[in-house]
Amino acid sequence: MLDINKIRKDFPILQRKVNGKPLVYFDNAATSQTPQQVIDVIVDYYSNYNANIHRGVHTLSQEATDKYEAARNTIQKHFNAKHSYEIILTAGTTESINLVASGFASILKKEDEIIVSALEHHSNIVPWQMLCEKTGAILKVIPMNQEGELEMDSYTELLSDKTKLVFVNHISNALGTINPIELIIEQAHNVGAAVLIDGAQACPHVKPDVQALDVDFYVTSAHKICGPTGVGMLYGKEEWLTKLPPYQGGGEMIDQVSFEKTTYAGLPHKFEAGTPNICGGIAFGAALDYMNAIGFDKIANYENELLAYGTKRLLEIEGLKIYGTSKNKTSVISFNLQGIHPYDVGTLLDKMGIAVRTGHHCAQPIMTFYNIPGTVRASFAFYNTKEEIDALIEGVKKAKMMLS
Ligand SMILES: *Cc1c(COP(=O)(O)O)cnc(C)c1O
């Protein structure tokens, strides 16, 4: 069992009030809150050893470099990558996907096919459309069903020896669906295609093992896992990272530079041009340490309890419809009240101190599929409680009364 009272004390922001009411933070799918343990690491960095890394001989630079590389090792262990140089530190999921998409510009040929799913975040759609424009490759889409699950039979039919790459999210940020990525990866490999998994929404809930998954690329952002914004990672199999060209040119990513010819640094530095988010990288490692100390099994169990309770209570409200009803889902509940715009519900909830997301959640194709402008999305983390869900229920009932 989780000691929720103790855990909640780790998060200073959970003590604050919003519009005179205790904050109920249910926008975890957009970004998670930061525990004091991670805030302390950030303060310590700027207070005691702020310096540029990998280049100074002086003590501060050495200390910063050691801590930065230690964080990379923490991330490697967490995801069970074979080598620490297979972990590329980036600005986040979006940058990681753009890095891979940009690299595939030199690999894909006209008429090659790449496959996306209907459940994606825009950051796992748009970079690939840009890649198709550049290369003449063709984008195919795995359709979804009413429950918000992928149509796996259609996926099998889409695969062929023309397929070069498949990219899907591990968990949908808009609906909470857990996708069968093991099967997706296996079937893609059977036709010789590589697979990129967008893990931004999965990593707060599960601990992926990239070697067991045999995935080619796995990407995530630190800010959804109790870390800071503007930092994340790209895991890539060594053979793929060796094959892909550098993403950006600049300092740190080179071996030798002359005006005639420049040679590139080895992994991971080949993909890490310029001064990185040093403090962010170190705090990313601290965030994983924090969550691992609690334990992902316990986190998942507790969040599933919150999901079951929240689903049951919300469905008691007449005229409320939940989008995303897969049996395989995490603690994300997208819903609408009949005849009421999600934005209005969200605005009233905010007046009651309850933070939810409203809109298309950067996943417009899903909203188009359901023929709705958007949803109200309540997403729970391990520091939320059933009492907070009760407050949400009261809030939604009040909003319904005021708006209908
Ligand atoms: C949050 C999220 C992203 C984007 O992450 P950034 O940190 O904004 O780059 C991509 N995909 C999914 C599934 C997400 O939940």
Side-chain angles (χ1 to χ4, degrees):
M1 279 292 288
L2 295 186
D3 187 348
I4 297 300
N5 288 331
K6 181 162 169 286
I7 286 173
R8 285 182 69 82
K9 288 204 184 94
D10 290 339
F11 293 82
I13 211 168
L14 297 180
Q15 324 300 325
R16 75 160 278 185
K17 290 202 159 128
V18 169
N19 293 322
K21 303 276 164 42
L23 166 67
V24 172
Y25 186 77
F26 282 161
D27 195 17
N28 295 287
T31 200
S32 59
Q33 293 304 341
T34 318
Q36 191 62 48
Q37 289 84 337
V38 174
I39 298 171
D40 287 345
V41 166
I42 295 168
V43 172
D44 181 42
Y45 172 79
Y46 283 110
S47 310
N48 293 311
Y49 63 99
N50 176 29
N52 213 328
I53 53 171
H54 296 144
R55 33 189 112 168
V57 291
H58 60 82
T59 304
L60 295 193
S61 175
Q62 297 280 345
E63 283 181 17
T65 304
D66 288 350
K67 290 250 169 70
Y68 193 69
E69 290 308 318
R72 193 192 305 276
N73 292 338
T74 301
I75 298 165
Q76 176 208 349
K77 285 208 190 76
H78 179 81
F79 290 97
N80 194 30
K82 195 163 174 191
H83 307 288
S84 66
Y85 54 76
E86 291 175 320
I87 303 294
I88 312 298
L89 286 156
T90 67
T93 302
T94 302
E95 191 184 49
S96 299
I97 294 172
N98 277 280
L99 187 162
V100 176
S102 136
F104 266 82
S106 65
I107 292 175
L108 291 188
K109 300 192 180 55
K110 217 169 166 235
E111 311 287 304
D112 277 348
E113 295 179 359
I114 60 178
I115 299 180
V116 69
S117 98
L119 283 178
E120 299 308 308
H121 190 283
H122 295 160
S123 69
N124 202 24
I125 301 174
V126 184
W128 306 109
Q129 289 174 322
M130 291 160 70
L131 174 65
C132 286
E133 271 171 33
K134 254 190 255 169
T135 58
I138 298 160
L139 186 68
K140 303 261 171 173
V141 185
I142 312 168
M144 61 184 275
N145 64 20
Q146 283 297 326
E147 284 71 45
E149 297 165 330
L150 294 181
E151 301 258 24
M152 290 298 286
D153 291 346
S154 305
Y155 171 58
T156 311
E157 281 166 25
L158 288 177
L159 287 167
S160 75
D161 56 6
K162 286 190 188 155
T163 314
K164 294 295 174 283
L165 189 65
V166 177
F167 30 96
V168 299
N169 58 34
H170 190 165
I171 293 180
S172 155
N173 66 301
L175 305 178
T177 314
I178 305 172
N179 289 316
I181 60 165
E182 293 81 359
L183 198 61
I184 290 171
I185 294 165
E186 190 190 316
Q187 293 191 3
H189 285 173
N190 285 344
V191 298
V195 180
L196 177 142
I197 299 292
D198 169 358
Q201 204 56 235
C203 292
H205 311 289
V206 297
K207 187 170 175 168
D209 179 330
V210 293
Q211 286 190 81
L213 287 168
D214 192 29
V215 67
D216 303 283
F217 303 99
Y218 195 99
V219 301
T220 199
S221 297
H223 70 92
K224 300 211 174 155
I225 337 171
C226 296
T229 56
V231 65
M233 69 123 202
L234 159 66
Y235 159 78
K237 275 187 189 164
E238 180 176 7
E239 62 210 82
W240 273 114
L241 294 179
T242 306
K243 207 182 296 180
L244 292 187
Y247 175 50
Q248 293 182 318
E252 196 67 15
M253 54 74 74
I254 49 86
D255 177 25
Q256 295 287 329
V257 176
S258 73
F259 287 108
E260 288 70 43
K261 184 171 174 54
T262 289
T263 54
Y264 304 126
L267 296 173
H269 306 295
K270 172 178 149 190
F271 293 108
E272 295 182 350
T275 302
N277 183 348
I278 302 168
C279 178
I282 295 168
F284 184 4
L288 290 179
D289 283 342
Y290 175 81
M291 294 199 54
N292 277 308
I294 295 173
F296 276 84
D297 288 346
K298 285 189 193 160
I299 287 172
N301 279 339
Y302 179 67
E303 287 173 344
N304 284 339
E305 250 177 63
L306 292 181
L307 173 65
Y309 183 70
T311 304
K312 178 176 146 283
R313 295 285 334 262
L314 279 169
L315 288 175
E316 286 165 12
I317 300 171
E318 211 175 305
L320 186 145
K321 182 174 158 84
I322 291 179
Y323 297 89
T325 50
S326 174
K327 276 187 207 73
N328 252 331
K329 67 178 277 190
T330 48
S331 47
V332 172
I333 308 181
S334 252
F335 64 90
N336 274 329
L337 289 167
Q338 200 173 14
I340 300 175
H341 199 283
Y343 178 81
D344 296 332
V345 180
T347 306
L348 282 179
L349 287 175
D350 180 59
K351 295 237 169 5
M352 306 172 214
I354 302 168
V356 293
R357 181 76 149 217
T358 64
H360 54 62
H361 318 299
C362 299
Q364 276 182 0
I366 298 180
M367 304 305 139
T368 306
F369 174 84
Y370 287 121
N371 198 19
I372 50 176
T375 67
V376 182
R377 181 185 69 186
S379 48
F380 312 137
F382 60 93
Y383 42 72
N384 290 129
T385 64
K386 285 187 182 165
E387 289 71 32
E388 289 180 309
I389 292 176
D390 292 339
L392 171 72
I393 302 300
E394 286 316 303
V396 174
K397 282 182 181 164
K398 237 187 240 171
K400 186 185 161 191
M401 239 162 52
M402 292 169 78
L403 294 166
S404 52

